[in-house]
Each structure stands twice: as structure tokens, then as C-alpha cells.
Amino acid sequence: MRCLPLTFLLSVFATHAQPFRLPTANVAIFEPGGEERYFVGTVGKPWMSGTFGCVRTEGWQMHEGLDVRCLQRDRQGEPTDPVLAAADGTVAYFNSKPGLSNYGKYIILRHQVEGLDIYTLYAHLDESAPGLRIGHPVKAGEVIGKMGRTTNTRQAISRDRAHVHFEIDLVVNERFPQWYNHTFPGQRNDHGAWNGQNLVGLDPWKLFVAQKERGAGFSLTSLIRSETDLCRVAVRVTTFPWLRRYPGLIKTNPVAIREGVAGYEVALNYVGVPFEIVPRAPSELKSKARVTLLSVNAEEQKKRPCRKLVTNRGGRWQLASNGQHLIDLLLY
Ligand SMILES: [Zn+2]
């Protein structure tokens, strides 16, 4: 009888240890020297510009996902690769009007991984799978659409650059539409909570490699919590939605357990992911201000400045307007 629960535990462990699969049949990312066959660079730039991070405009522009090269084409040379769900989940959103986004037609899926609320995004699709509905469940590997070249940018996407743009994201605040109306009155928001400003991405390449290397020992929570600080911010706010959706990112602090919580210390990586949240006791919060910038990792900011979250004015670090907006949205 003791075998049963063990088998059960192992199967649960196995499914959680490798939460994500690749979004198309292209697996060159795992082959030595296969990067050229996996990533599509921007016009006239090498494959690195199709990876995640500060890879555009000499490092000053962020690319939030991976641009995955197509493997199959029809007679006209149009991409036909099936696009696959990267994990079990449900359909969170899809945009079927390419004119409304530089992502063209795109799909967002929602996943629960180790109790974290995680989203994957698939962009520039030719079409989504028939019958796809918001809220419907999808299985990992299920075909959710067909690769295409849809976008609303003037430059368009040429046939030879055909790719799926793939992201793995966390959502900053589900009350984004209210925050946006309040912060930018009169400005259009076509995608509700699925506005790009409300998504903070993880590097999918780094994640896939870590999954492969660590096998059954892989943990998404550990991967996120091992991100590098760009800066740390203290907030005198005791409740905000992130705490509820990402409890695995909250660090235990015995002082706050003993004395009570007066606010939180939030560590942001260069993308703006609040990857570690530390409850702070009243005695630990030095400033009376609602938001205080505690520290900046200058080396990281120099290496990866593209989100422009912090800025140095006359030798003093401060949150730049992107950083202020992000914290404001996080706490809204
Ligand atoms: Zn892209």
C-alpha cells in the first residue's frame, strides 16, 4: 500500500519539475551552435537580437520574448508551423485584430506553476485554432494557432523573418485598466489587463536551459528568486495584489513576524520583475515616505539599462518615470 502515494508524489513532482515545453517543433535551441537556426534577428542584425533582454538598439531597447524561427512554409513561402501551448493552462486572452497591436494576432495562456500565476504569450500568428475561447483549458503541446507575420508596425515582418514571438510573463496588477485610466486619463487601452505595460517577462531561453540542466530538481520559484537585483525599494503599504498571486516570492523575516508588518522591501530585476518581497517591521522602515529607493546595483544598471527604471542625477540614484510607474501600478 505504501507504493501508491509514492508513485502519486513522483508523478506530481515530475509534472512540476519541467513545467514548460518549446512553443513550436523547432528544438535547435538545445543543439550546440543551433542559435542561428532557432532565433530570428531584427532586420540586418544577428540572431542575438531575437533573444530576450536588452538586445535591441545597441542595448537600449528591450525585447520581451524570443523570436522563434519557422521550420515549415507553404508554396508562397508563408510560415505554416503549428504553434503549441507551452504548458497546461487556460486561454486568458486573444487578440484577433492585428491592427490593434505590434504583436498582431496573439494569444495569452494562463498557467499555475508551483502556486505562481504565470502567462505565456504567442504573437504574430496567422490564425488561432478554431474554437479557441477565453477560459477554455489547453494541454501542453496542444496546437493553439498557426505561425504568421501579423503586426501593425509600418515596417511589417518579411517572409524570411517569419517567427513566433514567445513570452513567459508575470502580471503586475489585475486592476491595470483602472490604474491606466487613472494615470493616463483619455488615453486608449485596447487590451485591458493584457497591455504590455502590465506584463513583466522572464527569459524563456534561460528557463528552458535551467529546466534541462536541473531535470527533476528544477524549480521555477527558485529560478525567479535567484534573479539579480537592479534595485530595492521600500514601500509603506501592507497589502497589494502581487502578495496574493506570488506568495512563493515572499521571504520570511522573523523580525516582521515578531513585531508586525509595516510595509515591504521589493527587489526588482532589470526587467522590473519584483522577484523578492521581504516583509518589514516598523523598526526596519527608516523613511516615512510611501516609496523609498533603498539601493541600486550600478553594475547591473550599466550592463542592462534598457528598461530605464532608475536614473542617476548628480551622483544620486532615483526611480526614473518607468520605475515610478511600475511601483505605482504594483501598489495600486
Ligand atoms: Zn519579438
Side-chain angles (χ1 to χ4, degrees), residues 19 51 97 128 194:
T51 63
K97 299 190 185 83
S128 52
W194 309 106

Side-chain angles (χ1 to χ4, degrees), residues 40 42 49-51 56 63-68 102-103 123-124 157 161 163-167:
V40 176
T42 53
S49 58
T51 63
R56 301 259 164 107
H63 183 233
E64 288 87 356
L66 309 182
D67 286 350
V68 183
N102 56 355
Y103 283 177
H124 310 308
I157 299 167
R161 287 193 60 249
H163 63 268
V164 64
H165 169 98
F166 174 68
E167 296 184 9

Side-chain angles (χ1 to χ4, degrees), residues 60-326:
W60 284 96
Q61 195 193 334
M62 174 84 195
H63 183 233
E64 288 87 356
L66 309 182
D67 286 350
V68 183
R69 190 176 285 281
C70 92
L71 294 176
Q72 292 176 202
R73 295 176 187 271
D74 66 12
R75 280 198 201 141
Q76 281 74 45
E78 293 296 341
T80 59
D81 300 41
V83 173
L84 316 171
D88 291 350
T90 53
V91 179
Y93 183 69
F94 64 93
N95 172 46
S96 51
K97 299 190 185 83
L100 288 184
S101 171
N102 56 355
Y103 283 177
K105 292 187 188 176
Y106 66 92
I107 298 172
I108 299 178
L109 302 181
R110 178 180 186 214
H111 317 278
Q112 283 290 310
V113 182
E114 299 167 19
L116 305 172
D117 208 19
I118 304 291
Y119 297 80
T120 53
L121 181 150
Y122 314 78
H124 310 308
L125 302 179
D126 181 59
E127 57 190 19
S128 52
L132 202 78
R133 296 280 175 277
I134 289 173
H136 277 197
V138 290
K139 281 282 173 202
E142 188 176 324
V143 177
I144 54 168
K146 189 173 107 185
M147 197 184 279
R149 304 192 283 129
T150 57
T151 178
N152 71 355
T153 56
R154 214 180 323 148
Q155 200 180 20
I157 299 167
S158 65
R159 277 200 193 119
D160 57 273
R161 287 193 60 249
H163 63 268
V164 64
H165 169 98
F166 174 68
E167 296 184 9
I168 301 179
D169 292 314
L170 291 80
V171 159
V172 182
N173 194 329
E174 60 269 25
R175 297 181 65 231
F176 179 86
Q178 294 92 316
W179 174 81
Y180 192 85
N181 283 340
H182 173 258
T183 311
F184 306 106
Q187 285 195 40
R188 262 177 75 170
N189 173 24
D190 292 314
H191 307 291
W194 309 106
N195 185 306
Q197 285 183 52
N198 196 29
L199 303 172
V200 281
L202 305 174
D203 181 348
W205 189 13
K206 186 173 160 187
L207 189 151
F208 286 127
V209 169
Q211 264 193 178
K212 199 157 196 264
E213 278 174 359
R214 286 169 220 171
F218 175 81
S219 153
L220 180 65
T221 310
S222 310
L223 186 80
I224 297 174
R225 286 182 67 163
S226 68
E227 283 292 320
T228 302
D229 280 31
L230 174 85
C231 65
R232 286 184 174 255
V233 177
V235 300
R236 276 194 176 271
V237 177
T238 53
T239 172
F240 48 98
W242 186 273
L243 300 171
R244 178 168 37 77
R245 272 182 304 117
Y246 300 107
L249 304 181
I250 303 174
K251 196 173 170 177
T252 308
N253 175 11
V255 185
I257 292 173
R258 212 165 47 234
E259 294 177 21
V261 176
Y264 289 87
E265 182 177 317
V266 178
L268 300 176
N269 73 352
Y270 78 98
V271 180
V273 175
F275 67 93
E276 185 186 84
I277 311 278
V278 190
R280 286 295 177 208
S283 64
E284 295 177 304
L285 286 179
K286 303 288 175 248
S287 166
K288 292 272 173 266
R290 185 167 181 265
V291 175
T292 311
L293 179 63
L294 296 173
S295 64
V296 170
N297 178 349
E299 201 186 319
E300 181 70 357
Q301 170 63 13
K302 199 175 165 197
K303 230 167 34 189
R304 301 187 173 93
C306 61
R307 280 284 321 248
K308 305 174 189 83
L309 296 172
V310 293
T311 180
N312 194 307
R313 294 254 159 83
R316 272 180 64 102
W317 286 106
Q318 57 189 72
L319 283 171
S321 87
N322 284 354
Q324 283 171 15
H325 279 145
L326 178 66

